[in-house]
Amino acid sequence: MRILVCGAGGQVGREVIDRAAGFGLQALAMSHRELDISQPDAVLRTVEQLQPDLIINAAAFTHVDNAETHVEQAYAINRDGAGALGRVAERAGIPLFHLSTDYVFAGEAGHPYSESDQTGPTGVYGASKLAGEEQIQQACSRHLILRTSWVYGVYGHNFVKTMLRLGEQRSQLSVVADQIGCPTHAGVLADVMLELARRYADGRVLAWGLYHYCGQPPCSWFDFAVEIFRQARLIGLLPSAPEVLPISTEQFPTPARRPAWSVLDCSRFEAAFGLSPHDWKEDLSRVLKQLDALNERPLPSRQRSRA
């Protein structure tokens, strides 16, 4: 089966490309430079030319802070691009898998968010992604929307690689401790979507709709950073671990407001497909070992400075 992968240059998209053959699937990679999903004519032309059997959309405007000042661009990709893919997929008679985000919620709940909970994004990024979900739901009858959170991996820019870089440069770091979420390995997201694509290719019926899938258990950014440095130190990826100090969101202001609570309930997805969330600490170990094997060490300098 041929899968059109939009956003093939991103964290999840590159993992899909790397892993597709292992599932017996052919991935047709399209980076943003090769296919701008905000251009409906380009989307239609690409699908007509390549004739894929399924589309995986990992393309998005993901820079949360920049979205506040690049509103039009964020909506063009996250809302209009998603809608264009949904309409073209429906016209072609093929399914669409789409990645969304925990940022569609306000982050004020005291329980893990389920798919039926009230949304309430606090910034442009979350609002544009929610609008994209709605576009797909209206346009494409066979869609699978996966909301996830705190994505990290070997490719691209993410929290893990940022912490490794800063940990190499500094002896002390301050990290927000009052935002709670679920770190999720990009490779695991790729595996989940490819497994469901394989089931579809085998003729199995999928329960289409909106789902949550992310790593477990929940933690704070501070907890995440401490574990990154602990594991990196153990395998020699960092010569020593910096001291990590917990701070509040108010002490680290950003242009976009982040949800204080980004914990997603994945039970509906697990019940529908029999695929359980992964332990993010185990996945983190694999990512750090991959980075070590690739010699993606942060910086050669051992100079230390206080944050």
Side-chain angles (χ1 to χ4, degrees), residues 186-260:
V188 172
L189 286 172
D191 284 344
V192 163
M193 290 191 291
L194 289 168
E195 170 59 25
L196 296 180
R198 176 166 61 184
R199 294 181 189 183
Y200 174 74
D202 291 341
R204 297 169 64 177
V205 177
L206 298 182
W208 306 111
L210 170 67
Y211 295 93
H212 292 172
Y213 186 86
C214 57
Q216 295 292 332
C219 68
S220 69
W221 289 114
F222 170 80
D223 297 328
F224 194 11
V226 169
E227 183 64 17
I228 292 166
F229 293 131
R230 186 189 73 81
Q231 292 195 24
R233 177 69 182 88
L234 282 176
I235 67 173
L237 190 55
L238 287 176
S240 62
E243 180 185 12
V244 185
L245 303 177
I247 60 172
S248 67
T249 298
E250 287 71 22
Q251 292 173 284
F252 188 73
T254 56
R257 178 186 166 196
R258 266 71 171 170

Side-chain angles (χ1 to χ4, degrees), residues 18-227:
D18 287 353
R19 297 164 184 252
F23 288 81
L25 305 169
Q26 180 184 0
L28 309 171
M30 285 286 160
S31 68
H32 173 70
R33 284 191 291 269
E34 294 164 321
L35 174 61
D36 181 354
I37 64 170
S38 68
Q39 303 299 317
D41 290 343
V43 173
L44 177 59
R45 184 167 57 251
T46 298
V47 171
E48 288 178 341
Q49 290 175 349
L50 298 180
Q51 297 187 343
D53 302 294
L54 184 148
I55 299 172
I56 291 179
N57 181 34
F61 187 106
T62 58
H63 199 300
V64 177
D65 289 328
N66 281 356
E68 297 299 309
T69 53
H70 295 75
V71 178
E72 185 175 341
Q73 184 180 359
Y75 272 95
I77 298 171
N78 294 343
R79 179 194 61 194
D80 302 338
L85 287 170
R87 288 187 293 274
V88 170
E90 185 72 10
R91 174 173 171 171
I94 60 177
L96 171 63
F97 291 3
H98 175 76
L99 280 179
S100 193
T101 175
D102 55 299
Y103 277 55
V104 301
F105 295 110
E108 298 172 351
H111 61 273
Y113 282 109
S114 70
E115 292 83 350
S116 60
D117 280 332
Q118 180 66 45
T119 54
T122 60
V124 172
Y125 169 66
S128 63
K129 290 293 288 182
L130 179 60
E133 290 181 7
E134 294 167 348
Q135 290 266 326
I136 290 172
Q137 290 167 329
Q138 293 168 9
C140 185
S141 57
R142 291 190 295 171
H143 64 264
L144 192 70
I145 299 172
L146 284 186
R147 289 176 180 156
T148 191
S149 72
W150 293 18
V151 179
Y152 69 93
V154 175
Y155 298 120
H157 301 286
N158 56 67
F159 185 76
V160 171
K161 296 174 81 172
T162 297
M163 287 299 102
L164 292 176
R165 175 175 55 81
L166 293 177
E168 181 72 16
Q169 296 173 320
R170 303 176 182 179
S171 61
Q172 187 182 87
L173 294 172
S174 297
V175 181
V176 172
D178 58 358
Q179 294 175 20
I180 310 299
C182 300
T184 310
H185 178 20
V188 172
L189 286 172
D191 284 344
V192 163
M193 290 191 291
L194 289 168
E195 170 59 25
L196 296 180
R198 176 166 61 184
R199 294 181 189 183
Y200 174 74
D202 291 341
R204 297 169 64 177
V205 177
L206 298 182
W208 306 111
L210 170 67
Y211 295 93
H212 292 172
Y213 186 86
C214 57
Q216 295 292 332
C219 68
S220 69
W221 289 114
F222 170 80
D223 297 328
F224 194 11
V226 169
E227 183 64 17

Side-chain angles (χ1 to χ4, degrees), residues 279-294:
D279 185 319
W280 65 263
K281 292 184 180 180
E282 295 178 4
D283 290 337
L284 173 64
S285 176
R286 284 187 279 271
V287 168
L288 292 177
K289 289 173 182 176
Q290 282 182 277
L291 291 172
D292 192 32
L294 292 169

